[in-house]
Amino acid sequence: MTRLVIVDDDAMVRTGLRLILGGEPDFDLAGEAEDGLRAMEVVRELRPDVVLLDIRMPNQDGLVTTELLRAQPGPPRILVLTTFDADDMVLRALRLGADGFLLKDTPPPRMIEAVRAVAKGEPVLSPSVARQVIAAATGGSGPALPVAKEELARLTERELEVAVEVANGRSNAEIAERLYMSVATVKANITRIFAKLGADNRVQVAMKVRDAGLL
């Protein structure tokens, strides 16, 4: 069972998430909180595997909460929820260690899939907004940095092709179509890319590709 805690200041959003996730046999909706301060108490008490965390909340927002949760021993996975496509707060949350983000209007099947992926340690970015997020995170092309070029030299030619596609904000399905690969092969390549580059999410891969002068 994957233990979940839902953190959102909107009671309607919390209710909607309970309805979406509560029927899944492998999810245990352990608790919820209405702001970041209460979230710290709930997480400390219930020790969930995954926290679904609103980014904008009173008392203590999702950024501070993400940073504090990640600093704890054995921290939970953090899936940030947002209403906006390319919210700067989301980018900052990813840099602070969030495992991914989803729009609040993500279709229920995709939401369920994303929670399961994050629980397994697979970073998640909503495909519909990944391109905007990555573009904002990288800030456009700049001078190539030797360190980034050395890091990318660890990749095979095929892994480098996948990394560039990731940096362009394409989903696994889009990468598979463009590079004539199966989605499973794309996922395997991305796993190796994360390991070789020491990256935790797709935004970090994109930044390394940008810093190497390949965007």
Side-chain angles (χ1 to χ4, degrees):
M1 295 285 288
T2 298
R3 290 172 61 82
L4 308 177
V5 162
I6 298 170
V7 183
D8 198 295
D9 65 316
D10 189 330
M12 290 295 291
V13 171
R14 297 199 305 272
T15 298
L17 290 172
R18 285 200 306 271
L19 290 173
I20 291 171
L21 303 172
E24 299 304 307
D26 54 329
F27 290 162
D28 172 18
L29 298 186
E32 60 183 60
E34 68 280 2
D35 61 42
L37 288 177
R38 176 60 181 150
M40 300 302 298
E41 298 174 2
V42 172
V43 170
R44 191 178 302 113
E45 177 184 352
L46 300 177
R47 306 299 299 174
D49 302 299
V50 177
V51 175
L52 287 82
L53 180 65
D54 186 16
I55 198 72
R56 296 181 181 274
M57 296 179 294
N59 298 324
Q60 182 174 290
D61 65 28
L63 290 177
V64 175
T65 305
T66 295
E67 186 172 17
L68 292 175
L69 288 177
R70 293 299 300 172
Q72 294 182 352
R77 305 287 183 182
I78 299 173
L79 183 56
V80 171
L81 303 177
T82 180
T83 308
F84 306 100
D85 282 7
D87 191 326
D88 178 62
M89 293 182 74
V90 172
L91 299 175
R92 290 162 62 192
L94 288 169
R95 291 180 176 128
L96 287 171
D99 296 278
F101 81 91
L102 288 177
L103 292 180
K104 290 184 180 180
D105 62 358
T106 297
R110 170 60 180 155
M111 180 77 71
I112 293 167
E113 175 188 334
V115 173
R116 288 187 176 129
V118 166
K120 293 188 292 186
E122 300 173 7
V124 169
L125 294 176
S126 287
S128 62
V129 296
R131 190 169 290 110
Q132 296 97 307
V133 171
I134 288 172
T138 59
S141 60
L145 300 179
V147 172
K149 295 180 74 172
E150 290 175 7
E151 289 180 324
L152 290 185
R154 303 170 190 162
L155 305 181
T156 66
E157 182 177 350
R158 200 57 161 165
E159 289 166 354
L160 182 59
E161 290 177 333
V162 172
V164 171
E165 296 297 333
V166 166
N168 279 306
R170 297 192 172 91
S171 67
N172 289 351
E174 291 172 329
I175 296 172
E177 182 177 355
R178 289 177 63 88
L179 298 183
Y180 305 101
M181 306 165 70
S182 69
V183 172
T185 301
V186 172
K187 290 180 179 179
N189 274 275
I190 290 175
T191 297
R192 291 194 294 271
I193 290 167
F194 283 159
K196 290 182 178 181
L197 298 183
D200 295 319
N201 56 59
R202 296 166 89 104
V203 170
Q204 292 176 357
V205 172
M207 295 178 74
K208 291 177 186 293
V209 170
R210 185 280 309 268
D211 288 344
L214 299 182
L215 281 185

